Every structure is written in C-alpha cells, then in structure tokens.
Amino acid sequence: MAENTMTVTVAYVTTKHNITLTAQDGHEPLLKDLCEALTEATGVPVPSQKVIFKGKSLKEMEEPLSSFGIKQGCKLMMIGKRNSPEEEAELKKLKDIEKSVEQTAKKLEKVDGELTGLKNGFLAKELQAEALNKLDHRVKVASEQFMKFLEEIDGMSFPESFSDCRMKKKGLVKTVQGFLAQCDKIEAGISDHLAKIQTKNLALAE
C-alpha cells in the first residue's frame, strides 16, 4: 500500500508541515484531502487557504494532486488566516448543535425502519394501531426537537468576517429543514397506514 501514500511538505508562515495523505477506496489523494489535512495541522479553515505549487495557486478541490504535478516529497506553500478565537467559539456552538441534530436524525431513522416493519406485517394486526400511535408520538417529539434546533440556529448572527460560521449555519439550516420534511413524510405514512387498518377493521366488523 506504500504507493497509495504520499508525503508532501507545506510551508506556512515560518513552519514546515509534513503532510502524509493516504488513498481512500483506491482513489488517489485530492486537493481537498490536502486542504483538510492542512486545517488539522495549522487551524486555517479550508475556505481561507491558498495553496501554492510552483508559483501557481491551486483551486480545483476535486482534482487529484497528481494532476497538478504534485508527487511524493514535493514542496508547497500555503497562505491563509486562522479564525479568530471568537469565531472558533461560535463554530464550536454550531458543531455541538450539529451533533445533537445527528442524534435526533438517528432516532427518526429508527422510527422509519419500525414503520417499514409494520407495513410489512411484522406485528399482529390488533397491535398495529397502538404501535403506530407510539411511532407518531416519537416523530412529533423529533419534529419538535428539529424546530428548536432551527430556532437556535436562526437566533445566531455572525459578522460578515465570520465566513466559516456563516457557511456552517447555512448548511445546518438546510440539513434541519430536510429532516423536518422527512418528519412530515413519516407522519403522513403513519396516518396512511392507520387509515388502512381502520378501513380493514370496519370491513371485518360488517
């Protein structure tokens, strides 16, 4: 696997960083992988980085490093500004919310899986209505949590200079809105299945 590993030296300010990159899933390292590794090493966020090789600024993030002529042992330079401690603190708040969003999303995924199981008849017919009502309650709880996250994110405002925070906030709002739409879809699925059960029960009663 040695051929799938590349080490390059990147000069930033007065320090030289040896960055080792490993091929992922058989694909050679991309410029994006190098920039992410540089964020880890220097604290400079990717959007603020300017990576220079042989006097040329590299911009195509999805391109493999070899397409720029970068090989094992090559020397590059990076210029860029670290986030201020204030922005880092705000960024941490957003990352904490993101973790909570992911945890709630996992609960929602579980509900969706259980609903699929019910639709496939993994539970006795007479127990399905009660189980569906419990799932409906869990979806409503998740939906309320997502709404709270959205309110919390919306309530955060950042100065123009906090570009990382502003970008993270925008992405997070989109993610939460996507999960809220999923909640609506699952609730509709629950209502639909409940209606089918009730219709069948009425038919049997007649």
Side-chain angles (χ1 to χ4, degrees), residues 32-68:
K32 180 176 72 175
D33 302 321
L34 174 63
C35 290
E36 283 168 3
L38 282 169
T39 298
E40 290 288 319
T42 65
V44 178
V46 174
S48 304
Q49 291 177 15
K50 192 174 180 182
V51 178
I52 298 161
F53 179 60
K54 291 187 174 175
K56 190 183 170 197
S57 179
L58 312 181
K59 294 185 178 76
E60 294 82 7
M61 285 290 172
E62 298 300 326
E63 288 293 320
L65 292 175
S66 59
S67 70
F68 305 107

Side-chain angles (χ1 to χ4, degrees), residues 50 61 66 103 115 121 124 132 151 180 195 205:
K50 192 174 180 182
M61 285 290 172
S66 59
Q103 284 166 356
L115 177 61
L132 284 165
E151 282 169 22
L180 276 168

Side-chain angles (χ1 to χ4, degrees), residues 26 38 40 63 66 68 84 109 111 124 129 139 144 165 174 189 205:
L38 282 169
E40 290 288 319
E63 288 293 320
S66 59
F68 305 107
S84 66
E109 204 178 307
V111 170
V139 176
E144 279 169 24
C165 284
K174 207 172 174 183

